[in-house]
Amino acid sequence: MRIATWNINSLRARMPRLLEVIDTRNIDVIALQEIKAKPEQLDLSGLTERGFEVAAHGFNQWNGVAIASRVGLREVRREIPSIPAWGEGDDGVVEARAIGAVVGDASSDCAPLELWSLYVPNGRELDNPHYPYKLAWLEAVRNYAASRLDVGGPGEAPGEDSATLFAGDFNVAPTDADVWDMTVFEGKTHVSGPERDAIAALENAGYADLTRDWLDAPGTYTYWDYKGLKFAKKQGMRIDFMFGSPAVRAATTGAMIDLAERAQKSTSDHAPVIVDVEL
C-alpha cells in the first residue's frame, strides 16, 4: 500500500495537481489537509473515476481534511476523542482538523490500517491563545494514539498493536535540522520546547516518524513559504509527517518527499510525503 499525506492548500484549486500526483506516484491512499471546502463543494469525479472512495470533513474556506482510498474506506470518524474546541465557552468550535478511517481490505490484498489525516493548529505566536490550544490539541492526539496500542499488563510483554498511522501537517519542526536556519525561528512557534516535547511524547508513546530514516539528506523539507522564493533557496521546514505504530513501522519499506511536485507551478506550498507499507 502506497500512502501519501499532503497539505494541498485548497482541494478545489489543486484537484488537477492531486490527480497528477496520484497517477505519477501510483498512490493507493492519500490523507489531505487544508482542503478549504465543505464536502458538497468538491468535484470528486476525477478521484472516483480512478476507483477512489473519499471521506471529507470541512465547514468553510478554512482548514478541512480528507482521506481518499482505492483499497477500501470504512469506519469514518470526524473527531479524535477529547480534542479541544477553539474559542471560549459555548462559542467554542471543534474545527475540521481531523478525520480517520480504516483503509485496506481483503479484496485489495491490503491488511486493514487505521489512518488519520490531521491538520494541527498553527499556534500563531507564543503569547497567542492559539498556542495553548495547539498544545492541548497535540496532547489529545498523543493520548488517543497511546490508547491504540496494546502495551500489555504489568510484567507482560507488549502485545501486537492495532496498525495505526497519524499523517498530516503537524506544524512543528521537531529538531533544529528540520528548519533551514534556527536563528530565523528563535522565539517563534513551530520550534518551541513545548511543541517539540509534544511530538516527543507521541514518539515516546510508541509511534515512529516513518520518513526520517529514508531521507536522502539533511535539509529535505516539506514546506516552503511562497514568499521570497523560499523553495528555490532551499529555505524550508519539515513539518509534515507520518507517525506509525510499531506494526506500521515494521511494515514500512520506503519513503520519500515529492520535491518534484513542489517545484511545479500553481501547486501547494507543501510537498507530498509518501510511504510504502506492506502489512
Side-chain angles (χ1 to χ4, degrees):
M1 187 169 9
R2 175 160 277 193
I3 307 171
T5 183
W6 192 14
N7 180 324
I8 198 166
N9 194 10
S10 179
L11 181 53
R12 286 181 290 177
R14 297 193 168 85
M15 181 63 78
R17 296 305 324 150
L18 173 61
L19 299 178
E20 178 73 14
V21 168
I22 285 172
D23 292 344
T24 301
R25 299 300 184 185
N26 195 28
I27 303 298
D28 296 306
V29 181
I30 188 162
L32 298 168
Q33 302 85 45
E34 280 204 273
I35 65 171
K36 296 183 177 181
K38 300 176 183 177
E40 60 267 24
Q41 294 174 310
L42 300 171
D43 178 3
L44 302 174
S45 58
L47 290 167
T48 57
E49 288 167 1
R50 288 165 170 79
F52 281 83
E53 299 174 78
V54 183
H57 180 34
F59 298 136
N60 48 38
Q61 72 273 28
W62 308 110
N63 308 322
V65 285
I67 296 174
S69 170
R70 58 179 169 191
V71 292
L73 182 69
R74 55 189 171 87
E75 298 179 33
V76 176
R77 299 169 62 187
R78 290 175 171 82
E79 185 177 319
I80 284 180
S82 301
I83 210 75
W86 168 239
E88 298 292 335
D90 294 338
D91 295 329
V93 175
V94 176
E95 298 181 297
R97 292 182 176 272
I99 190 167
V102 174
V103 299
D105 54 34
S107 63
S108 66
D109 294 326
C110 296
L113 166 72
E114 180 178 326
L115 172 66
W116 284 87
S117 177
L118 305 178
Y119 179 42
V120 175
N122 179 282
R124 300 177 184 171
E125 303 291 341
L126 297 182
D127 59 355
N128 190 291
H130 214 251
Y131 181 72
Y133 166 57
K134 177 180 187 175
L135 297 179
W137 211 94
L138 285 167
E139 183 179 16
V141 171
R142 182 266 171 208
N143 290 342
Y144 177 72
S147 76
R148 302 303 298 146
L149 301 181
D150 177 8
V151 296
E156 296 177 352
E160 293 185 3
D161 68 75
S162 58
T164 308
L165 177 59
F166 295 90
D169 178 357
F170 282 75
N171 270 317
V172 180
T175 74
D176 289 358
D178 295 319
V179 297
W180 66 276
D181 184 350
M182 265 301 297
T183 63
V184 174
F185 295 93
E186 289 290 350
K188 298 181 180 179
T189 58
H190 293 58
V191 299
S192 72
E195 290 167 288
R196 288 180 168 180
D197 289 346
I199 297 298
L202 180 59
E203 294 180 300
N204 291 338
Y207 288 77
D209 172 0
L210 300 182
T211 54
R212 190 175 295 279
D213 291 343
W214 299 89
L215 293 179
D216 294 333
T220 304
Y221 306 122
T222 65
Y223 164 79
W224 303 257
D225 198 319
Y226 288 129
K227 301 174 183 177
L229 299 175
K230 290 292 195 296
F231 182 70
K233 295 176 181 177
K234 300 182 180 181
Q235 296 176 350
M237 307 175 71
R238 197 168 80 96
I239 58 176
D240 302 87
F241 299 94
M242 295 198 202
F243 287 102
S245 63
V248 179
R249 183 183 192 182
T252 299
T253 59
M256 66 171 290
I257 298 170
D258 192 350
L259 301 181
E261 173 55 35
R262 181 59 181 84
Q264 299 295 318
K265 293 181 179 180
S266 302
T267 193
S268 173
D269 45 3
H270 294 250
V273 178
I274 301 169
V275 299
D276 293 314
V277 178
E278 295 184 5
L279 285 168

mmCIF file of all heavy atoms in Angstrom, residues 173-213:
data_model
loop_
_atom_site.group_PDB
_atom_site.id
_atom_site.type_symbol
_atom_site.label_atom_id
_atom_site.label_comp_id
_atom_site.label_asym_id
_atom_site.label_seq_id
_atom_site.Cartn_x
_atom_site.Cartn_y
_atom_site.Cartn_z
ATOM 1 N N ALA A 173 8.382 21.629 13.837
ATOM 2 C CA ALA A 173 9.666 21.119 13.353
ATOM 3 C C ALA A 173 10.368 20.494 14.557
ATOM 4 O O ALA A 173 10.872 21.228 15.425
ATOM 5 C CB ALA A 173 10.505 22.243 12.750
ATOM 6 N N PRO A 174 10.419 19.168 14.661
ATOM 7 C CA PRO A 174 10.862 18.525 15.904
ATOM 8 C C PRO A 174 12.323 18.748 16.287
ATOM 9 O O PRO A 174 12.668 18.654 17.462
ATOM 10 C CB PRO A 174 10.602 17.033 15.633
ATOM 11 C CG PRO A 174 9.569 17.010 14.555
ATOM 12 C CD PRO A 174 9.870 18.197 13.708
ATOM 13 N N THR A 175 13.191 19.009 15.323
ATOM 14 C CA THR A 175 14.606 19.208 15.622
ATOM 15 C C THR A 175 15.127 20.432 14.865
ATOM 16 O O THR A 175 14.510 20.905 13.906
ATOM 17 C CB THR A 175 15.449 17.992 15.227
ATOM 18 O OG1 THR A 175 15.592 17.953 13.794
ATOM 19 C CG2 THR A 175 14.833 16.695 15.707
ATOM 20 N N ASP A 176 16.309 20.911 15.279
ATOM 21 C CA ASP A 176 16.921 22.043 14.584
ATOM 22 C C ASP A 176 17.194 21.708 13.123
ATOM 23 O O ASP A 176 17.181 22.602 12.262
ATOM 24 C CB ASP A 176 18.221 22.445 15.269
ATOM 25 C CG ASP A 176 17.992 23.110 16.622
ATOM 26 O OD1 ASP A 176 16.819 23.298 17.007
ATOM 27 O OD2 ASP A 176 18.985 23.436 17.297
ATOM 28 N N ALA A 177 17.444 20.442 12.820
ATOM 29 C CA ALA A 177 17.727 20.032 11.437
ATOM 30 C C ALA A 177 16.490 20.137 10.548
ATOM 31 O O ALA A 177 16.612 20.077 9.322
ATOM 32 C CB ALA A 177 18.260 18.604 11.407
ATOM 33 N N ASP A 178 15.327 20.326 11.157
ATOM 34 C CA ASP A 178 14.086 20.382 10.389
ATOM 35 C C ASP A 178 13.695 21.799 9.980
ATOM 36 O O ASP A 178 12.591 22.017 9.474
ATOM 37 C CB ASP A 178 12.949 19.728 11.178
ATOM 38 C CG ASP A 178 13.188 18.238 11.389
ATOM 39 O OD1 ASP A 178 13.640 17.583 10.437
ATOM 40 O OD2 ASP A 178 12.926 17.736 12.502
ATOM 41 N N VAL A 179 14.590 22.759 10.206
ATOM 42 C CA VAL A 179 14.395 24.124 9.708
ATOM 43 C C VAL A 179 15.680 24.584 9.040
ATOM 44 O O VAL A 179 16.772 24.139 9.386
ATOM 45 C CB VAL A 179 13.996 25.106 10.829
ATOM 46 C CG1 VAL A 179 12.655 24.723 11.430
ATOM 47 C CG2 VAL A 179 15.063 25.167 11.902
ATOM 48 N N TRP A 180 15.550 25.483 8.089
ATOM 49 C CA TRP A 180 16.718 25.877 7.307
ATOM 50 C C TRP A 180 17.677 26.763 8.077
ATOM 51 O O TRP A 180 18.889 26.765 7.814
ATOM 52 C CB TRP A 180 16.284 26.557 6.007
ATOM 53 C CG TRP A 180 15.575 27.880 6.162
ATOM 54 C CD1 TRP A 180 14.249 28.075 6.398
ATOM 55 C CD2 TRP A 180 16.149 29.171 6.076
ATOM 56 N NE1 TRP A 180 13.956 29.407 6.481
ATOM 57 C CE2 TRP A 180 15.113 30.115 6.273
ATOM 58 C CE3 TRP A 180 17.444 29.639 5.843
ATOM 59 C CZ2 TRP A 180 15.326 31.490 6.256
ATOM 60 C CZ3 TRP A 180 17.659 31.010 5.817
ATOM 61 C CH2 TRP A 180 16.604 31.924 6.029
ATOM 62 N N ASP A 181 17.177 27.503 9.078
ATOM 63 C CA ASP A 181 18.051 28.378 9.861
ATOM 64 C C ASP A 181 17.361 28.649 11.190
ATOM 65 O O ASP A 181 16.394 29.406 11.246
ATOM 66 C CB ASP A 181 18.316 29.684 9.107
ATOM 67 C CG ASP A 181 19.306 30.591 9.828
ATOM 68 O OD1 ASP A 181 19.646 30.310 10.993
ATOM 69 O OD2 ASP A 181 19.743 31.589 9.214
ATOM 70 N N MET A 182 17.866 28.049 12.259
ATOM 71 C CA MET A 182 17.209 28.186 13.560
ATOM 72 C C MET A 182 17.200 29.625 14.047
ATOM 73 O O MET A 182 16.296 30.032 14.790
ATOM 74 C CB MET A 182 17.891 27.292 14.590
ATOM 75 C CG MET A 182 17.235 25.938 14.768
ATOM 76 S SD MET A 182 15.491 26.016 15.288
ATOM 77 C CE MET A 182 15.638 26.806 16.884
ATOM 78 N N THR A 183 18.173 30.423 13.658
ATOM 79 C CA THR A 183 18.208 31.804 14.139
ATOM 80 C C THR A 183 16.995 32.591 13.648
ATOM 81 O O THR A 183 16.563 33.555 14.286
ATOM 82 C CB THR A 183 19.493 32.516 13.690
ATOM 83 O OG1 THR A 183 19.528 32.591 12.254
ATOM 84 C CG2 THR A 183 20.722 31.766 14.177
ATOM 85 N N VAL A 184 16.432 32.185 12.515
ATOM 86 C CA VAL A 184 15.252 32.849 11.974
ATOM 87 C C VAL A 184 14.011 32.519 12.813
ATOM 88 O O VAL A 184 13.067 33.316 12.882
ATOM 89 C CB VAL A 184 15.031 32.433 10.505
ATOM 90 C CG1 VAL A 184 13.727 33.007 9.959
ATOM 91 C CG2 VAL A 184 16.209 32.881 9.649
ATOM 92 N N PHE A 185 14.013 31.367 13.467
ATOM 93 C CA PHE A 185 12.822 30.884 14.165
ATOM 94 C C PHE A 185 12.881 31.045 15.680
ATOM 95 O O PHE A 185 11.917 30.698 16.364
ATOM 96 C CB PHE A 185 12.594 29.415 13.821
ATOM 97 C CG PHE A 185 12.277 29.181 12.382
ATOM 98 C CD1 PHE A 185 13.286 28.886 11.466
ATOM 99 C CD2 PHE A 185 10.980 29.273 11.915
ATOM 100 C CE1 PHE A 185 13.000 28.676 10.125
ATOM 101 C CE2 PHE A 185 10.679 29.072 10.587
ATOM 102 C CZ PHE A 185 11.694 28.775 9.687
ATOM 103 N N GLU A 186 13.980 31.545 16.207
ATOM 104 C CA GLU A 186 14.090 31.700 17.648
ATOM 105 C C GLU A 186 12.937 32.559 18.180
ATOM 106 O O GLU A 186 12.623 33.616 17.646
ATOM 107 C CB GLU A 186 15.425 32.357 18.014
ATOM 108 C CG GLU A 186 16.643 31.450 17.800
ATOM 109 C CD GLU A 186 16.704 30.303 18.783
ATOM 110 O OE1 GLU A 186 15.920 30.296 19.756
ATOM 111 O OE2 GLU A 186 17.544 29.401 18.578
ATOM 112 N N GLY A 187 12.301 32.071 19.245
ATOM 113 C CA GLY A 187 11.226 32.810 19.866
ATOM 114 C C GLY A 187 9.907 32.719 19.136
ATOM 115 O O GLY A 187 8.982 33.499 19.442
ATOM 116 N N LYS A 188 9.796 31.793 18.198
ATOM 117 C CA LYS A 188 8.577 31.656 17.413
ATOM 118 C C LYS A 188 7.965 30.278 17.618
ATOM 119 O O LYS A 188 8.581 29.370 18.185
ATOM 120 C CB LYS A 188 8.872 31.892 15.925
ATOM 121 C CG LYS A 188 9.391 33.291 15.622
ATOM 122 C CD LYS A 188 9.647 33.477 14.132
ATOM 123 C CE LYS A 188 10.155 34.887 13.840
ATOM 124 N NZ LYS A 188 10.430 35.094 12.396
ATOM 125 N N THR A 189 6.746 30.133 17.123
ATOM 126 C CA THR A 189 6.093 28.831 17.175
ATOM 127 C C THR A 189 6.776 27.875 16.209
ATOM 128 O O THR A 189 7.638 28.250 15.429
ATOM 129 C CB THR A 189 4.613 28.940 16.806
ATOM 130 O OG1 THR A 189 4.508 29.496 15.487
ATOM 131 C CG2 THR A 189 3.860 29.813 17.786
ATOM 132 N N HIS A 190 6.362 26.631 16.272
ATOM 133 C CA HIS A 190 6.843 25.518 15.443
ATOM 134 C C HIS A 190 8.153 24.918 15.965
ATOM 135 O O HIS A 190 8.454 23.770 15.659
ATOM 136 C CB HIS A 190 7.013 25.908 13.969
ATOM 137 C CG HIS A 190 5.734 26.211 13.257
ATOM 138 N ND1 HIS A 190 4.873 27.189 13.667
ATOM 139 C CD2 HIS A 190 5.167 25.649 12.163
ATOM 140 C CE1 HIS A 190 3.827 27.233 12.865
ATOM 141 N NE2 HIS A 190 3.968 26.301 11.953
ATOM 142 N N VAL A 191 8.947 25.685 16.711
ATOM 143 C CA VAL A 191 10.225 25.163 17.197
ATOM 144 C C VAL A 191 10.356 25.291 18.716
ATOM 145 O O VAL A 191 11.412 24.980 19.272
ATOM 146 C CB VAL A 191 11.415 25.883 16.519
ATOM 147 C CG1 VAL A 191 11.378 25.679 15.014
ATOM 148 C CG2 VAL A 191 11.430 27.377 16.849
ATOM 149 N N SER A 192 9.304 25.722 19.399
ATOM 150 C CA SER A 192 9.403 25.932 20.843
ATOM 151 C C SER A 192 9.519 24.605 21.582
ATOM 152 O O SER A 192 9.124 23.543 21.071
ATOM 153 C CB SER A 192 8.178 26.705 21.345
ATOM 154 O OG SER A 192 7.021 25.895 21.323
ATOM 155 N N GLY A 193 10.044 24.677 22.794
ATOM 156 C CA GLY A 193 10.227 23.475 23.597
ATOM 157 C C GLY A 193 8.953 22.690 23.830
ATOM 158 O O GLY A 193 8.927 21.461 23.626
ATOM 159 N N PRO A 194 7.861 23.330 24.261
ATOM 160 C CA PRO A 194 6.632 22.572 24.500
ATOM 161 C C PRO A 194 6.079 21.892 23.248
ATOM 162 O O PRO A 194 5.543 20.777 23.335
ATOM 163 C CB PRO A 194 5.665 23.646 25.035
ATOM 164 C CG PRO A 194 6.557 24.646 25.689
ATOM 165 C CD PRO A 194 7.773 24.705 24.817
ATOM 166 N N GLU A 195 6.205 22.534 22.099
ATOM 167 C CA GLU A 195 5.735 21.904 20.861
ATOM 168 C C GLU A 195 6.579 20.680 20.527
ATOM 169 O O GLU A 195 6.051 19.613 20.167
ATOM 170 C CB GLU A 195 5.798 22.902 19.708
ATOM 171 C CG GLU A 195 4.789 24.024 19.796
ATOM 172 C CD GLU A 195 5.079 25.140 18.821
ATOM 173 O OE1 GLU A 195 6.060 25.889 19.042
ATOM 174 O OE2 GLU A 195 4.359 25.261 17.828
ATOM 175 N N ARG A 196 7.890 20.828 20.637
ATOM 176 C CA ARG A 196 8.770 19.685 20.368
ATOM 177 C C ARG A 196 8.565 18.583 21.395
ATOM 178 O O ARG A 196 8.630 17.394 21.063
ATOM 179 C CB ARG A 196 10.222 20.156 20.339
ATOM 180 C CG ARG A 196 10.547 20.971 19.091
ATOM 181 C CD ARG A 196 11.981 21.439 19.045
ATOM 182 N NE ARG A 196 12.313 21.957 17.723
ATOM 183 C CZ ARG A 196 13.502 22.433 17.382
ATOM 184 N NH1 ARG A 196 14.486 22.468 18.278
ATOM 185 N NH2 ARG A 196 13.726 22.875 16.157
ATOM 186 N N ASP A 197 8.296 18.956 22.641
ATOM 187 C CA ASP A 197 8.004 17.951 23.667
ATOM 188 C C ASP A 197 6.740 17.174 23.323
ATOM 189 O O ASP A 197 6.637 15.967 23.604
ATOM 190 C CB ASP A 197 7.838 18.616 25.031
ATOM 191 C CG ASP A 197 9.145 19.140 25.602
ATOM 192 O OD1 ASP A 197 10.217 18.762 25.087
ATOM 193 O OD2 ASP A 197 9.082 19.946 26.551
ATOM 194 N N ALA A 198 5.761 17.848 22.711
ATOM 195 C CA ALA A 198 4.512 17.184 22.335
ATOM 196 C C ALA A 198 4.758 16.126 21.261
ATOM 197 O O ALA A 198 4.152 15.046 21.292
ATOM 198 C CB ALA A 198 3.504 18.215 21.848
ATOM 199 N N ILE A 199 5.640 16.430 20.307
ATOM 200 C CA ILE A 199 5.982 15.436 19.295
ATOM 201 C C ILE A 199 6.781 14.297 19.919
ATOM 202 O O ILE A 199 6.555 13.117 19.608
ATOM 203 C CB ILE A 199 6.773 16.090 18.144
ATOM 204 C CG1 ILE A 199 5.915 17.136 17.433
ATOM 205 C CG2 ILE A 199 7.253 15.027 17.157
ATOM 206 C CD1 ILE A 199 4.659 16.604 16.782
ATOM 207 N N ALA A 200 7.696 14.640 20.820
ATOM 208 C CA ALA A 200 8.469 13.605 21.509
ATOM 209 C C ALA A 200 7.558 12.691 22.321
ATOM 210 O O ALA A 200 7.789 11.476 22.405
ATOM 211 C CB ALA A 200 9.519 14.250 22.409
ATOM 212 N N ALA A 201 6.503 13.251 22.908
ATOM 213 C CA ALA A 201 5.563 12.437 23.679
ATOM 214 C C ALA A 201 4.843 11.444 22.788
ATOM 215 O O ALA A 201 4.578 10.297 23.189
ATOM 216 C CB ALA A 201 4.552 13.346 24.389
ATOM 217 N N LEU A 202 4.521 11.850 21.560
ATOM 218 C CA LEU A 202 3.887 10.928 20.618
ATOM 219 C C LEU A 202 4.853 9.791 20.265
ATOM 220 O O LEU A 202 4.461 8.616 20.202
ATOM 221 C CB LEU A 202 3.473 11.685 19.362
ATOM 222 C CG LEU A 202 2.788 10.886 18.251
ATOM 223 C CD1 LEU A 202 1.517 10.231 18.747
ATOM 224 C CD2 LEU A 202 2.497 11.782 17.045
ATOM 225 N N GLU A 203 6.116 10.139 20.061
ATOM 226 C CA GLU A 203 7.112 9.113 19.757
ATOM 227 C C GLU A 203 7.361 8.216 20.965
ATOM 228 O O GLU A 203 7.489 6.991 20.825
ATOM 229 C CB GLU A 203 8.403 9.778 19.291
ATOM 230 C CG GLU A 203 8.250 10.504 17.961
ATOM 231 C CD GLU A 203 9.527 11.156 17.487
ATOM 232 O OE1 GLU A 203 10.059 12.026 18.209
ATOM 233 O OE2 GLU A 203 10.009 10.805 16.391
ATOM 234 N N ASN A 204 7.405 8.803 22.146
ATOM 235 C CA ASN A 204 7.615 8.010 23.359
ATOM 236 C C ASN A 204 6.439 7.085 23.643
ATOM 237 O O ASN A 204 6.602 6.055 24.314
ATOM 238 C CB ASN A 204 7.853 8.928 24.556
ATOM 239 C CG ASN A 204 9.180 9.653 24.489
ATOM 240 O OD1 ASN A 204 10.099 9.208 23.798
ATOM 241 N ND2 ASN A 204 9.292 10.778 25.179
ATOM 242 N N ALA A 205 5.278 7.434 23.128
ATOM 243 C CA ALA A 205 4.114 6.568 23.288
ATOM 244 C C ALA A 205 4.215 5.320 22.419
ATOM 245 O O ALA A 205 3.457 4.372 22.595
ATOM 246 C CB ALA A 205 2.838 7.332 22.953
ATOM 247 N N GLY A 206 5.158 5.331 21.458
ATOM 248 C CA GLY A 206 5.375 4.152 20.629
ATOM 249 C C GLY A 206 5.280 4.380 19.141
ATOM 250 O O GLY A 206 5.358 3.421 18.360
ATOM 251 N N TYR A 207 5.142 5.639 18.712
ATOM 252 C CA TYR A 207 4.971 5.939 17.290
ATOM 253 C C TYR A 207 6.273 6.455 16.684
ATOM 254 O O TYR A 207 6.989 7.241 17.304
ATOM 255 C CB TYR A 207 3.845 6.949 17.092
ATOM 256 C CG TYR A 207 2.492 6.324 17.337
ATOM 257 C CD1 TYR A 207 2.040 6.099 18.635
ATOM 258 C CD2 TYR A 207 1.692 5.893 16.281
ATOM 259 C CE1 TYR A 207 0.816 5.478 18.872
ATOM 260 C CE2 TYR A 207 0.474 5.279 16.512
ATOM 261 C CZ TYR A 207 0.045 5.074 17.806
ATOM 262 O OH TYR A 207 -1.146 4.446 18.036
ATOM 263 N N ALA A 208 6.542 6.023 15.457
ATOM 264 C CA ALA A 208 7.788 6.370 14.787
ATOM 265 C C ALA A 208 7.538 7.299 13.611
ATOM 266 O O ALA A 208 6.556 7.138 12.873
ATOM 267 C CB ALA A 208 8.490 5.105 14.288
ATOM 268 N N ASP A 209 8.417 8.265 13.439
ATOM 269 C CA ASP A 209 8.439 9.118 12.252
ATOM 270 C C ASP A 209 8.904 8.243 11.091
ATOM 271 O O ASP A 209 10.073 7.884 11.000
ATOM 272 C CB ASP A 209 9.392 10.278 12.507
ATOM 273 C CG ASP A 209 9.668 11.137 11.290
ATOM 274 O OD1 ASP A 209 9.124 10.849 10.204
ATOM 275 O OD2 ASP A 209 10.443 12.100 11.423
ATOM 276 N N LEU A 210 7.998 7.894 10.191
ATOM 277 C CA LEU A 210 8.303 6.901 9.162
ATOM 278 C C LEU A 210 9.204 7.421 8.058
ATOM 279 O O LEU A 210 9.760 6.622 7.304
ATOM 280 C CB LEU A 210 6.994 6.388 8.538
ATOM 281 C CG LEU A 210 6.015 5.709 9.493
ATOM 282 C CD1 LEU A 210 4.795 5.210 8.726
ATOM 283 C CD2 LEU A 210 6.677 4.555 10.247
ATOM 284 N N THR A 211 9.374 8.735 7.949
ATOM 285 C CA THR A 211 10.172 9.259 6.839
ATOM 286 C C THR A 211 11.616 9.569 7.211
ATOM 287 O O THR A 211 12.479 9.582 6.338
ATOM 288 C CB THR A 211 9.541 10.540 6.262
ATOM 289 O OG1 THR A 211 9.338 11.487 7.313
ATOM 290 C CG2 THR A 211 8.207 10.230 5.604
ATOM 291 N N ARG A 212 11.897 9.806 8.485
ATOM 292 C CA ARG A 212 13.231 10.294 8.838
ATOM 293 C C ARG A 212 14.338 9.339 8.398
ATOM 294 O O ARG A 212 15.388 9.771 7.896
ATOM 295 C CB ARG A 212 13.333 10.565 10.343
ATOM 296 C CG ARG A 212 14.622 11.300 10.717
ATOM 297 C CD ARG A 212 14.650 11.680 12.190
ATOM 298 N NE ARG A 212 13.634 12.642 12.558
ATOM 299 C CZ ARG A 212 13.746 13.956 12.370
ATOM 300 N NH1 ARG A 212 14.816 14.455 11.763
ATOM 301 N NH2 ARG A 212 12.799 14.770 12.778
ATOM 302 N N ASP A 213 14.152 8.052 8.576
ATOM 303 C CA ASP A 213 15.197 7.083 8.221
ATOM 304 C C ASP A 213 15.414 6.980 6.719
ATOM 305 O O ASP A 213 16.410 6.410 6.276
ATOM 306 C CB ASP A 213 14.843 5.701 8.778
ATOM 307 C CG ASP A 213 14.915 5.659 10.295
ATOM 308 O OD1 ASP A 213 15.539 6.558 10.885
ATOM 309 O OD2 ASP A 213 14.342 4.732 10.889
#
